[in-house]
Amino acid sequence: ELHSRVLMAENHATIREVVELIIQSVGVELVCVENGAEAVEVSAEGGFDLILMDMQMPVMDGLTATRAIREREAVTGAPAIPILCLTANALPEHIEASRAAGADSHLTKPISASSLIGAVRAVVEAAAESEAAPERRRA
């Protein structure tokens, strides 16, 4: 069981449902929004271990939302929430664009259950390691 809370910004209902089924099966609480503007707003409330950010959405795209979240974290001194971009575009320039915007990694659509659970597990385990070793954070 991965006891964590994930925010997902995705405008396609079917993809949201599939992701919800996959990650709820491993004990993850999923909060869904439909565009980048909502992701920026909801992520400001805090309490998320990971953000899954679709790159192409109406209102505000994922790269713009990722930059806005990173800017807010920098201004407020809040810890950076890991952001995984979800994209059907897996070309090197798309991956580079998501990293340049501040994303930690990316997942290519269609998303497999194993890659999604593996990505969430990696983030949760990395967070647990950094909490277990506070002396490394202060260095």
Side-chain angles (χ1 to χ4, degrees):
E1 292 272 304
L2 299 172
H3 297 288
S4 59
R5 197 160 173 253
V6 173
L7 174 62
M8 179 176 191
E10 168 63 65
N11 60 306
H12 290 285
T14 305
I15 296 172
R16 287 196 306 269
E17 289 168 17
V18 168
V19 168
E20 193 165 15
L21 286 170
I22 294 168
I23 67 175
Q24 282 184 339
S25 71
V26 292
V28 173
E29 179 190 346
L30 185 67
V31 175
C32 292
V33 295
E34 294 186 23
N35 63 61
E38 291 175 0
V40 172
E41 187 180 321
V42 173
S43 66
E45 297 166 12
F48 292 101
D49 300 295
L50 172 66
I51 299 172
L52 297 172
M53 184 77 74
D54 185 20
M55 284 181 75
Q56 295 178 307
M57 294 177 286
V59 185
M60 181 187 285
D61 67 77
L63 296 181
T64 304
T66 298
R67 281 192 290 272
I69 291 166
R70 292 299 183 231
E71 286 166 17
R72 182 186 63 233
E73 290 166 344
V75 168
T76 62
I81 304 168
I83 298 176
L84 294 181
C85 277
L86 304 176
T87 179
N89 309 320
L91 296 173
E93 57 264 33
H94 298 126
I95 295 165
E96 181 50 41
S98 65
R99 289 199 187 280
D104 296 278
S105 189
H106 77 283
L107 288 173
T108 306
K109 294 177 184 177
I111 304 162
S112 72
S114 59
S115 67
L116 179 62
I117 291 168
V120 174
R121 178 171 281 124
V123 168
V124 172
E125 288 173 357
E129 281 176 29
S130 68
E131 283 172 23
E135 69 282 353
R136 268 189 279 167
R137 267 199 315 238
R138 275 185 250 134

